[in-house]
Amino acid sequence: MTENVINLHKDTDPPADTATVTTLTVVPDPAPAPLVPLWVRSGRAIRRIATDERTTTAARAMARHSLYTLNGGRIMARRTWDGRTGARYERMLRAAEAQGNLEVAEEWEERLQRFRESRHRRRMDLLHSPEQVARGVAMGTGMGIGVLVALGVVMALNTKEVGDVITPLKATIEFIGALIHIVQVVWPYATVLGPLFALLGMWAVGRHQQAAPQWALPANVRSGEGEPITPSIVVKALRDLGIPALRNAIKEMGDVGASMLGPITIAGCGVEVDVTLPSGVSTNEVQARRRKLAENLTRHEHEVFITIPEAARTVRLWIADSGALDEPIGPSPLVTDETMTANYKTGKAPWGQDLRGDAAELSVFQRHLLITGRSNQGKTASLRSLALWLALDRSVQFWLGDLKGIGDWKMFDGIAEVLIQGPTDDHVIQVTEMAEAAVDEMNRRMEVRRTDPNAVFPPLIVIVDEAQVAFMCPVKDEDKRPYGGSSSTSRYFMAARKLHNQGRAVDVLLWQGTQDPTDQNLPKLVREGAHTRASLVVGTESQSRMALGDKAVDDGAAPHLLRQGLDKGTLVVASDGIAMPKGQSSITVRTHFIGDDDAEAVAARARALRSGIATLTLIERGEERDPLADIAAAIGEAPRLFTADVLKRLATLNEDAYGTWTNGDLKRVLEAEGEEPKKSHGRMVVHRDHVLRALAHRDSDGSASASE
């Protein structure tokens, strides 16, 4: 039995009359810990040491510097070989042949032939050089001895000593002996230091070229963040795309794979380069590997854009500086320049910046517009900024339907002649009737144009924001015609189609903003009727094709690759109204954001340019109408208005009450109040003062009758 521990417990301060009691407690030994084999403990220690950060850092450093030396030697050997042989010319020749550029191939073949002829002449000269060298050495030695003897004779004559004749020759021999002695002393050190200096040179070359695997490089180099784009980096990224034909072609080209590249130019917050692909590699193969190409370039996917320029078998790469696209662009010129005005016909709206950092300006002249994208990505702000710019042209009229109805367009009260705001079916009905009234106005203008080909009309911009609400509306009218849908009886769809067909000819344009496009909420015929199509981030490539068309997506447009929430306000635009590089069918624009307060300030400037406009808003259907008051509301602040314009505004105000009115109905109401329309410059007009006078006279009569 093992030795036990005995504990002695004594009562402290026992009573004087009590004997001291000692308690003995036996405590057993604890169970012995299990023994761990020595080889297990050694293995754990070795693994701990091997995985220690200091060990891995030292191992990477040793591997890195060893590979610097090895690969530096390979680079120096390759350079020496290229300098002594025609390998460089042969690689350039193969590269030109791989690109199918026969003219350049012939030029490099001629250079190679000239190099070979020059090398042949040098080698032939070497065959005769030993004899020439021997002659030169013999003649030089003889002349040297003769000179030294002559010098000795001169010295002997001067000193009267015969022995001085050989003094110069003797001194020369002693000098040669001293040189030999120096060489004998230095040679052992040179045999040791020479290879060391050679290794140091190879290490320096390898380090400069970072000639080591990525895992062996330092952390700051290995991360690649902010690494500048060079031809070698682009060629390596293309080589590692996983396209066999491209990889093999670059391998045949050797280091001169950069001959595929055009000049790398600074383009805004990134660089741009055109890549001419070798035969057998198609542009869509490169486009399909955008993410891999971006990662090979040490960039995120959203920082690399691939488009198809005009040149055949060429892709254009735009590569952003790391993190540059996450930086906001400056404020809109609409906000910073309070003197800015607009011109519908010749002006361009300052919409934002393209990826090159250049101003992106859009012409809206006779162009229907469609902007789509996911919810809360900047669609309304992008559409509203165009409308705010155009509102600074006082000749432009606006009819506006906002089917979201949360006040995004409230600043257009006093600018737009019609402003409908709300998401209900009643609002959709009003917007549909507004679009149909625009069709009637278009037809009226077409009739005038037939009689007067030189007639000029003020531009009318019909804006419908959240148009998908109209297309998806299930309500039908009393004739069972649906307001929504995409059939030949769908009222909003047919109004949009008619405006797309002929509206631009008489400057009646439809601008629509929609959400998350599908064939149901954005029919094909409507989306293809827009001249300017722009898309924020969408979910799939098929939605990108709906938004922009097949041509733009096939040429590289990819709004489905934008980042939701991070690329708010970034649009991919397909339009002939915006400047873009030759050969491209779309351009990416980062739009200026104009907040509500700034929008209200711009709208106030627009209202100041216009005579008072009474904006017509949504009116409940089925209520009792006061025709005279409605006529006054339709005229607004204008001193007088053509009867045709009064009828048009009345119909927009309430289609049920005034949609069928004619000039006779208008004349009847005014004559009943003693204020019939007058003729001005050959056309019938209604004077605002006359209508207000009739209202005041009617109200005074009513007050007198009530008092009686």
Side-chain angles (χ1 to χ4, degrees), residues 183-491:
V183 171
Q184 289 175 342
V185 173
V186 173
W187 181 253
Y189 300 99
T191 56
V192 175
L193 296 177
L196 291 179
F197 282 120
L199 291 174
L200 182 61
M202 291 188 292
W203 174 85
V205 172
R207 182 177 180 275
H208 180 72
Q209 297 290 332
Q210 297 293 327
Q214 284 290 317
W215 60 265
L217 295 176
N220 60 335
V221 177
R222 191 167 60 249
S223 66
E225 287 297 325
E227 184 178 9
I229 299 300
T230 62
S232 61
I233 289 176
V234 177
V235 171
K236 290 177 183 177
L238 293 169
R239 182 195 64 194
D240 297 336
L241 271 185
I243 303 174
L246 181 58
R247 182 178 61 250
N248 294 336
I250 294 176
K251 188 182 297 183
E252 290 180 1
M253 298 176 196
D255 288 342
V256 296
S259 60
M260 297 189 306
L261 310 182
I264 297 179
T265 58
I266 296 176
C269 57
V271 296
E272 187 176 73
V273 59
D274 285 355
V275 181
T276 302
L277 300 175
S279 179
V281 182
S282 62
T283 55
N284 61 350
E285 289 181 284
V286 177
Q287 283 183 305
R289 291 167 170 80
R290 175 183 172 184
R291 174 175 293 181
K292 190 170 186 179
L293 177 61
E295 292 172 351
N296 291 348
L297 293 166
T298 65
R299 296 294 190 271
H300 297 291
E301 184 178 13
H302 71 276
E303 294 176 328
V304 174
F305 289 81
I306 307 173
T307 54
I308 309 300
E310 191 174 31
R313 211 171 68 235
T314 302
V315 293
R316 177 168 293 158
L317 306 181
W318 185 85
I319 307 161
D321 298 335
S322 292
L325 294 183
D326 296 327
E327 298 294 330
I329 63 174
S332 171
L334 284 174
V335 176
T336 59
D337 184 3
E338 296 185 358
T339 63
M340 175 174 284
T341 59
N343 188 296
Y344 163 75
K345 186 173 183 180
T346 61
K348 290 188 175 183
W351 211 5
Q353 293 180 0
D354 62 18
L355 296 178
R356 296 166 182 80
D358 299 329
E361 299 178 330
L362 180 70
S363 171
V364 299
F365 175 63
Q366 293 188 342
R367 290 179 176 89
H368 300 295
L369 175 68
L370 171 66
I371 300 179
T372 187
R374 283 182 170 176
S375 176
N376 194 32
Q377 297 304 302
K379 168 180 51 63
T380 297
S382 301
L383 182 60
R384 188 176 68 182
S385 66
L386 293 177
L388 285 170
W389 173 80
L390 194 56
L392 297 176
D393 183 345
R394 61 183 300 173
S395 67
V396 179
Q397 301 173 353
F398 291 94
W399 294 3
L400 206 157
D402 174 18
L403 293 177
K404 185 188 297 181
I406 61 173
D408 288 337
W409 296 86
K410 62 183 179 181
M411 68 288 302
F412 275 78
D413 191 357
I415 298 175
E417 296 182 0
V418 179
L419 178 59
I420 301 169
Q421 302 180 87
T424 67
D425 290 341
D426 282 340
H427 294 93
V428 171
I429 293 171
Q430 290 287 331
V431 167
T432 302
E433 292 173 348
M434 177 186 74
E436 291 173 338
V439 173
D440 294 338
E441 170 63 12
M442 175 190 72
N443 292 333
R444 184 191 70 80
R445 294 184 179 191
M446 296 295 290
E447 288 294 332
V448 173
R449 182 65 61 82
R450 290 188 184 96
T451 59
D452 182 7
N454 297 321
V456 178
F457 307 102
L460 173 59
I461 309 299
V462 181
I463 301 176
V464 180
D465 195 11
E466 306 296 342
Q468 77 279 355
V469 178
F471 285 114
M472 300 299 290
C473 180
V475 177
K476 297 182 179 180
D477 62 13
E478 60 274 8
D479 297 326
K480 304 301 181 182
R481 294 180 59 199
Y483 286 93
S486 58
S487 67
S488 59
T489 58
S490 300
R491 293 181 59 177

Side-chain angles (χ1 to χ4, degrees), residues 63-130:
R64 177 169 66 250
H65 293 292
S66 300
L67 291 169
Y68 280 168
T69 304
L70 176 62
N71 293 327
R74 293 176 55 191
I75 294 171
M76 293 176 67
R78 185 65 174 270
R79 291 175 179 174
T80 303
W81 178 258
D82 287 346
R84 303 288 295 177
T85 67
R88 178 182 289 109
Y89 299 95
E90 292 174 357
R91 284 199 305 272
M92 297 295 286
L93 176 60
R94 288 196 301 269
E97 289 176 345
Q99 293 179 357
N101 196 333
L102 298 181
E103 293 182 0
V104 176
E106 290 177 358
E107 180 181 349
W108 282 110
E109 187 174 12
E110 291 177 2
R111 292 185 181 183
L112 176 59
Q113 187 62 31
R114 289 197 299 268
F115 171 79
R116 287 173 175 171
E117 291 175 356
S118 176
R119 184 179 61 184
H120 177 70
R121 286 194 301 269
R122 290 195 304 270
R123 288 177 177 176
M124 293 301 294
D125 291 340
L126 287 176
L127 294 178
H128 303 285
S129 61

Side-chain angles (χ1 to χ4, degrees), residues 351 362 367-370 527 530-535 544-545 547-553 557 559 571-578 580 584-589:
W351 211 5
L362 180 70
R367 290 179 176 89
H368 300 295
L369 175 68
L370 171 66
R527 62 182 184 249
H531 302 98
T532 296
R533 300 168 70 171
S535 177
S544 295
R545 294 182 181 275
L548 301 176
D550 291 336
K551 168 66 174 173
V553 175
L571 287 166
V572 183
V573 184
S575 172
D576 61 350
I578 191 169
M580 64 182 69
Q584 288 187 203
S585 55
S586 67
I587 189 171
T588 302
V589 176

Side-chain angles (χ1 to χ4, degrees), residues 152 156 160-168:
K160 309 300 183 179
E161 293 288 339
V162 177
D164 287 342
V165 173
I166 62 172
T167 298

